[in-house]
Every structure is written in C-alpha cells, then in structure tokens.
Amino acid sequence: MQLGLTFDTQSLSRHIWAVSQIVRTVREMAETAFPDVWVEGEISNLRPAPSGHVYFTLKDAEAQLPVVLFRRQAMLLRFRLEDGQHVLVRGRASIYEQRGQLQLVAETLEPVGIGSLQLAFEQLKERLNAEGLFSAERKRPLPAFPRSVGIVTSPTGAVIRDFLNIVSRRHSGLNVCLYPATVQGEQAPEEIEAAIAALNAANLVDVIVVARGGGSLEDLAAFNSERVARAIAASHIPVVSAVGHETDFTIADFVADLRAPTPSAAAELITDAQYRIAERVQDLSERLERGVRYQLMRARNLLERVAIARSERRMTALLHISEQRLDDLSMRLTDAIEELIFERTSQINHLENRLIIRDPRIGIGLAQTRLLSVRMRLDRAVERTVHETRSRWDRLHAQLRELSPLAVLDRGYALTQSESGVILHSVTQAKAGDRIVTRLRDGSLTSIVEHSSKTRKSKK
C-alpha cells in the first residue's frame, strides 16, 4: 500500500518586494492621501543649504516631521525663518526614498499670531538697527535754502500734484526734479533704489524726497524692503522719507535723514526757512507801514495844538524825519534783497558752470572722435593684414604648384598608380592581370597589364 502526499504549492508561494519598490509605493500612497495639507508646528533644526533649499523639522509636543522648502518657494517668503517660530506650513506629504523618511514638501509658510509682512518688518527693523542705520549720529541736517529738490514718486498720483502746489506757494524759486518710479508692486523696490542712485550720480539736487500716499502694510511693502533702506543709507544727498499718513511708519522713515508725516509736510519742511524769511519781510513791511501811519497820526494831533506857522514847520520836520526814516528802511530792505538776489544768482551761475563742465555731450563728442580714430586705424590694420596674407598665400601657392608632381603632367609625362592608389616606381610592383591607372594632364586611363619587361641597365 502506497501513501500519496499532495502539497498546495500556491499556499507556499510568497511575493518578495525590493526595498525601492515598497518605499516608492508608500511614497505614492502618501502623496495621493495628502496632496495638499496645512500643518501647524514649531520650527527646529533649521538648516539652509548652499543650493538655496531650506530644511527644518516641524514639531509639537508629541511628534516631529521633517520639512523641505525648495529654493523657488523659499525666495517667495516675506519673512526670515528662525528656530522656535510657530508657523503654518502648506504642502504635500512625501517619502524621501534614499532614506525611507516621511517628509513634508512645503509650498508656503505663514507665521502664527502675526502677519508675514509685519514679521518681516520687525525682523528687518531689528537687523538694520543693530547695524547702526537708524542711529541719530549718521543723520544729516537738511540745507536751509535748497536750490533744487529731487522727488521719487509716481508721476500720475496726487502726491506730486500736492507737493508742487505747496512748493509753488511757499518757494516759487525752488527747482523740483521728478524721478518717476513705481511705488507699489514687485518692481517698486528696484525702481526706487535705481532712482536714488541716479539722483546721487547726477548730483543736481540738494535734497531727495521719497514719497507716496497712505495705504495698507501690503501697499507700503516697497518702503519696508532692505533694498530701499540700503539705498537711502548709501545716499550722500540728504533724504526725506514722506511715506503714507502721519500714523504710518516704514523702514525708510527710520533710515532717512528726516521723516515727514506726509508728502505735503515734506514740501513744507523743505521750504520752511525760505517761507519764514518771506514772512519776516512781510512782517517788517507791515510794521513799517503801521509806524508811518502812527507818526502821521501824532503829527496831526500836534498840529491841532500849536499855531499854524509852528505846526507847519513841525509838520514839515516830522514829515522829513519820517520820510528819511522811510528812505533808510527802504534802502536797507533793498540792500538786503539785492544781496540775497546776488547770492542766489552767484549760486545759480556756479551751478550752471558745473552743469556745462559736466555736459555729457562733450564727453560723447570726444568719445566719438576717439572711436572714429580707432576705427580708421583698425580698418587700415585689417586691410594691411589681409593684403600681406593674400600676398603670402599667392607666393606659397606658386611654390606649391612648382613643387607639385602634378605639374610634371603638363609637360607630357604620366603618373602610374595601382588600383589601390599606390604610385608605381618599378615594373616589379605590377604583374600580368593587374589593373593600373595612368594619370595624364587632362584625365586618367585604366588598363590591365598583359606582361612586363624590365629595362636592362647599360654596361659602362
């Protein structure tokens, strides 16, 4: 009797996974299950990489999760990441296959409890203050009597219209140079920085005003940027920050040499000294007029108390004294005005002379003359080089033709080659039945060797 045993081979089969397969499968499951999630936690172990990517760990009291923020997304952040920050991270779950490690691929971050713009404002303010950019020692006073002022703002906004109206009313002789720039949006910091640098390079203004109207923190973001702050700090011309309303404060306000509550207030501050002189002159003129009227009134009162003849002499004397005093005050006023006009005229002439000396057209003319001279020398040098090269090439070509074995063909000789192209020097190099090629002056002949005979050398 035989005992037959059967086995279920299917029950003994097993599926064997490669490590990369199972890790890749788990990664795909994680990315499918969590394609877009918000995760709240505290930043720790922050590690910016030289490539621009940022790595950190997001943790709470019970767990931690590695996070990677790639360079493109990191460049879009409005605040600086620091260990200990409490943040919201938006991203997708994934597996880093090389380590088999769960991680969150971040798209954006938001601070918890404070806006990103406000946090960026506070961080930049603290850093620049530590560098000394806000210190009172580096701030310069504005010139009391500026001849010209440069204003960086939008050319179409109400700011420039209000500024020009106040300047024309308080100091009509002040020159205003508008450097148009975008004051809101991504391009605004770059344009404002370029405007400040251009006004410094031109050196045609005594004061620079950076201005725009009020708005939200997002609207004023350009004036809270590090680029604008460092451009103001690097300016050798005094800068007035006139951004927003009286309650708005920006980084530009702290770095500038003077903060004006509004653009209109900036115009009043710049023209204050000139306006006070005009007011003083007006006050002296009114006081002079009142004094003359008072003297005339006293003269009339005295005239009523004395005899006619005496009163006439007294009145005449008083009139003479008043007229003399009036003449004296008028001449003093005229001299003061003429002296001021002479001083301003001298300053304007000096500025015009400096402007003429620095006229870019003179430099351009000299550069064009030098360029023309260099171009003519270059053309002559190229022409001479080409001519010499061509002459040398002709000589070499003639020498090559004289030395070429093909030149012999023109004199009736022939050149014999084997079928493979080897030049035949002896009859021993070919045997009967070989195909040979004979090259003549105007072509070649192909023939088959029937027999060969070697020339006998003559005996001497």
Side-chain angles (χ1 to χ4, degrees):
M1 179 178 178
Q2 292 181 344
L3 181 63
L5 298 175
T6 62
F7 294 92
D8 187 1
T9 58
Q10 185 176 4
S11 64
L12 296 178
S13 65
R14 55 185 177 182
H15 180 75
I16 300 176
W17 293 72
V19 174
S20 59
Q21 290 179 327
I22 194 167
V23 172
R24 188 176 301 113
T25 302
V26 174
R27 176 179 62 78
E28 292 174 354
M29 293 173 61
E31 292 179 349
T32 302
F34 302 100
D36 186 8
V37 294
W38 285 91
V39 184
E40 180 179 353
E42 180 181 316
I43 294 177
S44 67
N45 197 22
L46 181 66
R47 304 180 308 280
S51 61
H53 309 324
V54 179
Y55 302 90
F56 60 91
T57 301
L58 197 65
K59 66 178 184 179
D60 57 16
E62 299 178 358
Q64 62 182 12
L65 176 65
V67 181
V68 55
L69 180 67
F70 291 112
R71 181 172 64 88
R72 179 168 301 197
Q73 285 72 26
M75 293 173 60
L76 299 177
L77 284 183
R78 293 177 174 176
F79 63 98
R80 187 176 69 255
L81 299 180
E82 296 176 350
D83 284 331
Q85 283 182 343
H86 195 190
V87 295
L88 281 173
V89 183
R90 182 180 182 180
R92 57 182 174 85
S94 183
I95 300 289
Y96 183 50
E97 295 185 12
Q98 282 70 15
R99 296 181 182 173
Q101 182 183 43
L102 176 66
Q103 66 179 7
L104 183 67
V105 180
E107 294 292 333
T108 184
L109 288 88
E110 294 181 3
V112 176
I114 183 171
S116 59
L117 286 178
Q118 184 63 35
L119 179 59
F121 173 87
E122 296 297 339
Q123 289 177 342
L124 181 59
K125 178 181 175 183
E126 180 180 353
R127 180 153 50 89
L128 296 182
N129 187 30
E131 293 182 21
L133 268 64
F134 299 167
S135 62
E137 291 76 11
R138 61 170 299 277
K139 297 184 183 298
R140 296 156 297 185
L142 301 185
F145 302 101
R147 295 162 296 180
S148 57
V149 57
I151 179 169
V152 180
T153 189
S154 171
T156 59
V159 169
I160 186 61
R161 292 196 297 270
D162 295 342
F163 189 89
L164 292 176
N165 288 335
I166 293 174
V167 168
S168 62
R169 187 179 71 249
R170 293 169 60 92
H171 185 4
S172 59
L174 179 63
N175 295 318
V176 179
C177 175
L178 170 63
Y179 200 108
T182 303
V183 293
Q184 183 174 338
E186 295 182 0
Q187 298 298 323
E190 180 179 357
E191 293 188 17
I192 296 171
E193 178 188 29
I196 296 173
L199 289 173
N200 275 270
N203 200 26
L204 297 177
V205 297
D206 302 315
V207 182
I208 296 176
V209 178
V210 180
R212 73 147 284 157
S216 64
L217 191 59
E218 290 80 3
D219 296 335
L220 303 179
F223 300 90
N224 287 323
S225 68
E226 185 173 357
R227 294 186 67 168
V228 173
R230 296 199 179 278
I232 293 175
S235 173
H236 68 267
I237 300 174
V239 178
V240 177
S241 175
V243 180
H245 299 303
E246 189 167 357
T247 56
D248 295 327
F249 280 88
T250 64
I251 296 296
D253 293 334
F254 296 110
V255 182
D257 297 288
L258 180 66
R259 175 190 179 264
T262 62
S264 299
E268 293 177 354
L269 289 172
I270 292 172
T271 58
D272 183 60
Q274 182 70 27
Y275 186 69
R276 282 190 280 111
I277 288 179
E279 284 187 328
R280 179 62 175 166
V281 171
Q282 180 66 24
D283 181 62
L284 290 175
S285 178
E286 292 177 355
R287 289 177 59 188
L288 179 61
E289 184 178 355
R290 289 195 300 269
V292 171
R293 289 178 179 175
Y294 176 72
Q295 293 296 336
L296 290 175
M297 182 184 66
R298 288 187 59 190
R300 292 192 187 98
N301 291 334
L302 292 174
L303 184 62
E304 294 176 355
R305 300 175 187 175
V306 297
I308 295 178
R310 185 178 177 184
S311 62
E312 287 181 355
R313 291 193 299 270
R314 189 68 178 271
M315 183 180 62
T316 301
L318 290 175
L319 286 174
H320 288 168
I321 294 173
S322 299
E323 290 174 353
Q324 186 176 0
R325 180 168 178 77
L326 179 61
D327 290 340
D328 181 53
L329 293 175
S330 298
M331 287 187 292
R332 288 170 60 187
L333 180 61
T334 302
D335 292 341
I337 294 175
E338 289 179 352
E339 182 179 356
L340 182 60
I341 292 174
F342 177 77
E343 180 183 351
R344 294 298 174 83
T345 303
S346 299
Q347 293 173 349
I348 292 173
N349 292 336
H350 177 66
L351 181 61
E352 288 178 349
N353 292 333
R354 290 177 59 190
L355 185 61
I356 291 173
I357 293 174
R358 300 187 181 185
D359 190 346
R361 291 174 295 184
I362 297 176
I364 292 173
L366 294 175
Q368 289 176 343
T369 301
R370 290 195 296 269
L371 178 62
L372 180 60
S373 176
V374 171
R375 182 177 297 172
M376 292 176 62
R377 294 200 302 271
L378 180 61
D379 291 342
R380 289 195 297 269
V382 169
E383 183 178 354
R384 183 170 59 254
T385 302
V386 169
H387 178 73
E388 292 175 354
T389 304
R390 182 174 298 166
S391 299
R392 183 184 177 190
W393 186 88
D394 291 340
R395 291 195 303 272
L396 293 176
H397 185 264
Q399 293 175 4
L400 182 62
R401 285 185 58 83
E402 291 177 359
L403 297 176
S404 173
L406 299 179
V408 181
L409 302 181
D410 293 336
R411 299 199 297 270
Y413 292 92
L415 183 68
T416 304
Q417 296 174 292
S418 67
E419 189 175 11
S420 61
V422 178
I423 297 176
L424 302 181
H425 300 282
S426 171
V427 296
T428 60
Q429 293 181 260
K431 61 182 181 294
D434 287 352
R435 185 184 298 271
I436 60 175
V437 178
T438 303
R439 184 169 181 178
L440 303 176
R441 178 180 60 84
D442 56 352
S444 60
L445 300 173
T446 303
S447 56
I448 297 176
V449 177
E450 293 183 354
H451 69 274
S452 62
S453 61
K454 189 173 184 181
T455 304
R456 296 181 180 178
K457 296 182 180 180
S458 59
K459 296 181 180 181
K460 291 183 182 180

